Amino acid sequence: MNFKYKSLFQQGALVLALLVGTTACQEQLSGQGVAKTSETGVWLTTPDKSALFQKQEAKLAFSTATSQGPTIEVDDSQKFQPIDGFGYCLTGGSALLLSKMGAGERAALLKELFTTSGNNIGVSYLRVSIGASDLDDRVFSYDDLPEGQTDPELRQFSLAPDRPYLIPILKEILALSPDLKILGSPWSPPTWMKTNNNSKGGSLKPEFYDAYAQYFIKYIMGMKAEGIRIDAVTVQNEPLHPGNNPSLLMPATEQAEFIKKSLGPAFRAAKLDTKIIAYDHNADKPEYPITVLNDAQARQYVDGSAFHMYGGKIEALSQVHDAYPDKNLYFTEQWVGSKSKFEDNLAWHVKTLIIGATRNWARTVLEWNLASDPQQNPHTPGGCTECLGAITLDGNATTRNVAYYIIAHASKFVRPGSVRIASTSASVPPNVAFKAPNGNKVLIVQNDQSTPQTFNIRYQGKLTPATLNAGAVGTYVW
């Protein structure tokens, strides 16, 4: 690593340039090292992969020097939303691949992912599917029956499909990170509850609203019996996309009806503290969660709304926040295509999601699937064939892909219980700032320009300069 130091001020202040030369590629981070979550400094990822969430040798040096350059002012007297965590969707396919690893290799990888010591990245939030997602190796629900049969009393309900892989993996993860939060999202109810009796598309029959509400409760209580607490559920993954397998069409008015007539009252009667989150789809339809929240009977049961970004603009989250500022917002899914470029994904995901979603009130940022194999398997028939995991698993061989580093830039230091704080947004590189529970300030910056950008970070009247190469991402901790 080459660093350039240069005096800009008569007081002799040093400029941190962070101009990165060639360095060993860190795609095989071992989880070893001495860094702690309370450690301060700069962590860097570059588009050419010469630095991959790599701590820099140069230190942040705040001083009373002055500068005319672009300045990011960080102000922790202005506080916004708390942060629940950053992480991934632990699909059934991800759990299957993890289960096939050797016990020692899996334990080392899970420690790297879910703890914060050394070079470990501290993932703090996971989304799992209630029943199968399209990245399971097959389609299933927890109450599958022969065609023509129904089970409104849910006598056949069973978590058996999750017992071989998902539940054991979650237990291993929770042993490492007991406070990790888990969100459950259904892709489809059992087919006998649907208008088309098919895993793909169709709508939920109103006569089975109550049965489906109890299906959620049996799931939450069944996972609790396994020692797995479900912190929140979304009512339906991508309710306006019935073309996936599995999937369900659930317009906003139907979701409001289901929540107010069945799901909300059932949760209240069962004395569940699991949150109910509406929508869970793209930012191009902010009117969907607003429609749900406009229904006062449904609103009383709803914690907030969840979003993806396959359409729309991230600023739409603030539109929902402004309409209902007492309701929370979550960003719960974004894929990385296996045919796309590392540098393009790094730039877009950090700017739009890590920075953009949190600047627009999101309490979480989750990337889509944690793990896939080298051919982007497994998936259901008709499921996603190009979803690149944050890690690629080929037996015990592990490759860390771009979503690994995207999340690492936030998850390691912006711990649950952090709060977003004010930082300059105009005429400076895209950025977002947080105050962590240990008192550290964390500033994430992305250079969205085609040339290196030098800027200043100012906090409580003191300033430190920094430079990011084109497309690079820096996490600054002090």
Side-chain angles (χ1 to χ4, degrees):
M1 178 67 64
N2 295 320
F3 295 93
K4 185 183 291 182
Y5 294 94
K6 183 177 178 183
S7 177
L8 291 181
F9 314 114
Q10 290 182 345
Q11 295 93 328
L14 294 177
V15 174
L16 173 59
L18 294 178
L19 296 176
V20 181
T22 55
T23 187
C25 182
Q26 299 219 327
E27 297 217 14
Q28 301 297 324
L29 285 175
S30 66
Q32 299 175 350
V34 295
K36 304 296 182 184
T37 54
S38 60
E39 190 177 3
T40 60
V42 181
W43 281 257
L44 182 69
T45 298
T46 56
D48 63 0
K49 304 184 187 180
S50 58
L52 290 165
F53 194 56
Q54 183 177 42
K55 188 177 184 187
Q56 305 303 287
E57 294 178 3
K59 306 295 183 182
L60 289 172
F62 286 89
S63 75
T64 56
T66 59
S67 171
Q68 299 303 310
T71 298
I72 300 171
E73 180 89 37
V74 177
D75 179 6
D76 61 2
S77 70
Q78 297 184 57
K79 295 179 173 63
F80 302 94
Q81 81 276 19
I83 297 299
D84 286 347
F86 297 86
Y88 304 102
C89 301
L90 178 66
T91 60
S94 298
L96 172 63
L97 294 171
L98 287 164
S99 297
K100 290 182 176 180
M101 298 180 74
E105 290 84 355
R106 181 175 61 252
L109 178 59
L110 294 180
K111 181 180 179 182
E112 176 186 332
L113 288 167
F114 293 99
T115 70
T116 56
S117 61
N119 288 329
N120 304 332
I121 67 170
V123 169
S124 53
Y125 203 104
L126 289 176
R127 180 174 178 235
V128 299
S129 60
I130 299 176
S133 77
D134 62 308
L135 293 190
D136 274 89
D137 61 345
R138 70 193 193 286
V139 175
F140 63 85
S141 78
Y142 302 125
D143 199 336
D144 289 328
L145 299 173
E147 188 173 353
Q149 295 185 21
T150 63
D151 181 23
E153 302 299 323
L154 301 178
R155 292 187 177 92
Q156 303 301 315
F157 181 96
S158 173
L159 292 178
D162 285 344
R163 294 194 190 283
Y165 309 117
L166 183 66
I167 287 173
I169 292 297
L170 283 172
K171 288 181 178 181
E172 287 189 50
I173 291 168
L174 290 168
L176 294 166
S177 181
D179 296 329
L180 177 136
K181 289 186 176 180
I182 299 171
L183 167 70
S185 299
W187 266 238
S188 173
T191 57
W192 54 265
M193 294 186 184
K194 302 174 70 175
T195 55
N196 66 349
N197 295 300
N198 195 293
S199 62
K200 181 177 178 179
S203 298
L204 179 64
K205 291 181 177 179
E207 60 262 37
F208 291 125
Y209 276 14
D210 288 346
Y212 195 37
Q214 292 302 318
Y215 182 92
F216 276 86
I217 289 172
K218 282 184 172 289
Y219 170 76
I220 292 165
M221 298 304 292
M223 294 297 268
K224 182 180 179 181
E226 297 288 345
I228 300 167
R229 181 180 180 274
I230 303 300
D231 181 71
V233 295
T234 62
V235 182
Q236 171 61 37
N237 171 69
E238 299 188 345
L240 299 179
H241 176 35
N244 202 357
N245 187 22
S247 60
L248 177 80
L249 177 65
M250 182 180 272
T253 53
E254 289 186 17
Q255 187 160 117
E257 286 290 304
F258 175 57
I259 292 169
K260 72 181 182 184
K261 289 184 175 179
S262 298
L263 190 64
F267 272 43
R268 184 169 290 175
K271 295 183 169 58
L272 296 181
D273 61 358
T274 301
K275 304 176 186 75
I276 296 174
I277 299 173
Y279 193 39
D280 204 13
H281 207 172
N282 294 333
D284 60 349
K285 300 290 184 183
E287 64 270 20
Y288 186 116
I290 290 173
T291 296
V292 175
L293 293 170
N294 281 345
D295 187 317
Q297 290 178 279
R299 184 172 66 246
Q300 64 179 317
Y301 301 113
V302 175
D303 171 83
S305 310
F307 288 86
H308 307 175
M309 261 299 293
Y310 305 112
K313 296 183 178 180
I314 199 66
E315 291 78 14
L317 276 66
S318 283
Q319 183 179 338
V320 180
H321 172 266
D322 293 345
Y324 289 95
D326 60 327
K327 297 299 183 180
N328 294 312
L329 293 172
Y330 305 87
F331 191 89
T332 51
E333 181 188 319
Q334 193 68 29
W335 84 317
V336 171
S338 60
K339 297 179 181 179
S340 57
K341 296 179 179 179
F342 180 98
E343 59 270 27
D344 294 340
N345 285 303
L346 178 70
W348 188 89
H349 285 245
V350 172
K351 181 179 179 179
T352 309
L353 306 183
I354 300 296
I355 295 171
T358 54
R359 272 194 173 272
N360 287 279
W361 299 96
R363 296 172 67 113
T364 62
V365 175
L366 308 180
E367 290 279 326
W368 181 230
N369 62 314
L370 174 61
S372 56
D373 76 6
Q375 289 76 44
Q376 282 61 249
N377 290 320
H379 57 78
T380 62
C384 181
T385 60
E386 296 181 12
C387 287
L388 181 68
I391 54 175
T392 297
L393 292 178
D394 188 2
N396 288 329
T398 303
T399 303
R400 291 149 188 81
N401 301 316
V402 65
Y404 175 99
Y405 301 105
I406 291 164
I407 291 298
H409 269 279
S411 59
K412 185 175 179 71
F413 300 108
V414 188
R415 303 302 300 157
S418 297
V419 64
R420 180 170 67 90
I421 57 178
S423 61
T424 307
S425 61
S427 303
V428 293
N431 68 86
V432 65
F434 306 90
K435 187 172 183 178
N438 64 4
N440 280 349
K441 274 61 65 181
V442 183
L443 177 70
I444 301 169
V445 185
Q446 191 259 333
N447 178 8
D448 62 349
Q449 301 298 307
S450 59
T451 58
Q453 299 293 307
T454 296
F455 55 94
N456 304 297
I457 302 168
R458 184 162 56 212
Y459 175 70
Q460 293 186 344
K462 294 186 177 181
L463 177 147
T464 184
T467 296
L468 282 175
N469 276 354
V473 177
T475 295
Y476 302 82
V477 184
W478 69 94

